[in-house]
């Protein structure tokens, strides 16, 4: 039977563009929902009332950290289409329980709902990031853009809902169902099926796929991998994690996230009051928006501008973080342009490093086809969660120390709102 001929060059370009658009859109929708869903659930649980902030952070982040350590090892043992349905079911249960339970419901029930939400968002992140091995850097761009857009929305959502619309965050749980519908639609209808091309298929044509397309498809094995036992796969993946993956991706992502979160979350409340903002809520929204805007620009342009010197960008992130911490501690400059410029730079450098870490991982895996690409890409996120936990706890400590000073006049923590 004669081999199928490759499509004409023009048709191939159109099909590739359409596939890339669908891939980017689907991953963008999934990541957008995956950031907003836990934010809505956590906001409706009011855990900050019975617990101090460090305990709330542990409740919200430790389940996610545990899932990201364990889940990549069992990813292969359940069919891919099952995971989105399972996640929709878990989020539906969490949303229903949050809505049905009154705000004064017993604390253990609220903790269980928070654990379910945290585990669900971590599972979704591991699953979709593992699928980068099938969809390439276009999917990474969509994922990064979606997370950044959702982060920007989370920065202004409390102020918009509570101050300008007169609502409470608990009323927003109804939007969980719309986000779940969007996620299911994106995965089952928008996202194209993963395809695998062999280079021999293009041998009849003088023009081989472009370098970008080759990088996108390089992670896909040309042949089905041999079946190995769970413990053999576990041992191989453990070696991969403890050697190359830890040094190239997990550890750098942990450092980047820790510096970014410490500078962004630990500075807002004890920073100097700016006269252009009548209340802290509006300053906090503008502060978070400046940070997320830099993050959004970096993540959405990852395919256009690749960081050629990531160490220089990381050094800039550390420098900006140190400057903003010193400025907060000693109130060196009470200038709005300086405050928002420096936090914008922190968001931009952090976003660039995030995308660079995953791009580096995908390039490494394309050069090592024997490595388990799905496991590797799904495991990297543990560095981000650990960094968020460490940076947030350090930021809370930093904030409490500054706001606990006897002379705290001129800081936002000296005000009620």
């Amino acid at each position: 039977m004669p081999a199928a001929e490759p499509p004409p060059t023009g048709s191939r370009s159109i099909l590739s563009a359409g596939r890339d658009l669908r891939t980017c859109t689907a991953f963008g929708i999934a990541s957008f929902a995956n950031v907003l869903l836990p934010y809505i659930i956590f906001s409706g649980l009011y855990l900050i009332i019975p617990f101090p902030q460090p305990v709330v952070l542990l409740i919200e982040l430790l389940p996610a950290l545990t899932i990201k350590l364990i889940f990549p090892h069992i990813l292969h043992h359940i069919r891919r289409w099952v995971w989105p349905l399972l996640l929709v079911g878990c989020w539906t249960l969490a949303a229903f329980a949050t809505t049905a339970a009154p705000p004064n419901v017993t604390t253990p029930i609220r903790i269980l709902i928070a654990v379910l939400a945290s585990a669900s968002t971590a599972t979704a992140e591991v699953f979709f990031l593992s699928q980068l091995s099938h969809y390439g850097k276009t999917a990474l761009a969509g994922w990064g853009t979606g997370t950044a857009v959702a982060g920007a929305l989370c920065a202004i959502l409390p102020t918009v809902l509570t101050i300008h619309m007169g609502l409470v965050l608990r009323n927003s749980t109804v939007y969980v169902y719309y986000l779940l519908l969007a996620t299911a639609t994106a995965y089952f209808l928008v996202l194209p099926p993963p395809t695998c091309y062999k280079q021999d298929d293009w041998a009849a044509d003088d023009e081989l796929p472009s370098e970008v397309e080759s990088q996108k498809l390089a992670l896909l094995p040309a042949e089905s991998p041999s079946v190995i036992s769970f413990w053999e796969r576990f041992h191989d993946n453990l070696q991969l994690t403890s050697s190359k993956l830890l040094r190239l991706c997990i550890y750098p992502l942990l450092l980047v996230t820790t510096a970014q979160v410490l500078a962004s979350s630990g500075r807002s409340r004890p920073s100097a009051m700016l006269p252009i903002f009548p209340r802290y809520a509006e300053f906090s929204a503008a502060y978070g928006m400046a940070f997320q805007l830099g993050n959004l620009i970096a993540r959405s342009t990852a395919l256009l501008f690749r960081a050629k010197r990531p160490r220089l960008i990381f050094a800039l992130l550390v420098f900006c973080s140190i400057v903003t911490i010193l400025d907060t501690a000693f109130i060196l400059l009470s200038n709005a342009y300086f405050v928002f410029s420096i936090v914008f730079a922190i968001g931009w450098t952090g976003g660039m490093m995030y995308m660079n870490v995953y791009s580096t991982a995908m390039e490494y895996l394309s050069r090592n086809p024997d490595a388990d690409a799905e496991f590797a890409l799904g495991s990297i996120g543990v560095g981000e969660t650990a960094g968020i936990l460490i940076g947030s706890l350090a930021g809370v400590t930093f904030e409490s120390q500054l706001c606990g000073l006897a002379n705290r006049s001129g800081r936002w923590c000296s005000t009620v709102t």
Side-chain angles (χ1 to χ4, degrees), residues 45-60:
L45 293 176
Y46 298 112
L47 287 175
I48 195 63
I49 296 177
F51 297 111
Q53 185 67 21
V55 177
V56 174
L57 290 172
L58 292 175
I59 293 173
E60 294 177 353

Side-chain angles (χ1 to χ4, degrees), residues 235-255:
H235 180 265
D236 293 342
N237 289 338
L238 206 59
Q239 284 188 326
L240 175 64
T241 304
S242 60
S243 57
K244 294 291 185 180
L245 207 60
L246 182 65
R247 180 176 59 85
L248 288 176
C249 304
I250 298 178
Y251 187 55
L253 190 58
L254 186 149
L255 293 178

Side-chain angles (χ1 to χ4, degrees), residues 67-77 126 230 233-238 241 372 375 379:
I67 288 295
K68 289 185 178 183
L69 288 171
I70 298 175
F71 179 57
H73 293 284
I74 63 175
L75 194 61
H76 292 276
H77 298 278
V126 171
F230 172 80
R233 184 188 296 272
F234 179 82
H235 180 265
D236 293 342
N237 289 338
L238 206 59
T241 304
D372 190 340
F375 167 83
S379 300

Side-chain angles (χ1 to χ4, degrees), residues 67-69 71-72 75 122 125-132 245 358 365 372-382:
I67 288 295
K68 289 185 178 183
L69 288 171
F71 179 57
L75 194 61
E125 182 179 338
V126 171
F127 171 73
F128 281 104
L129 287 177
S130 71
Q131 299 307 296
L132 297 180
L245 207 60
Y358 278 98
L365 293 169
D372 190 340
E374 285 192 8
F375 167 83
L377 293 170
S379 300
I380 295 173
V382 70

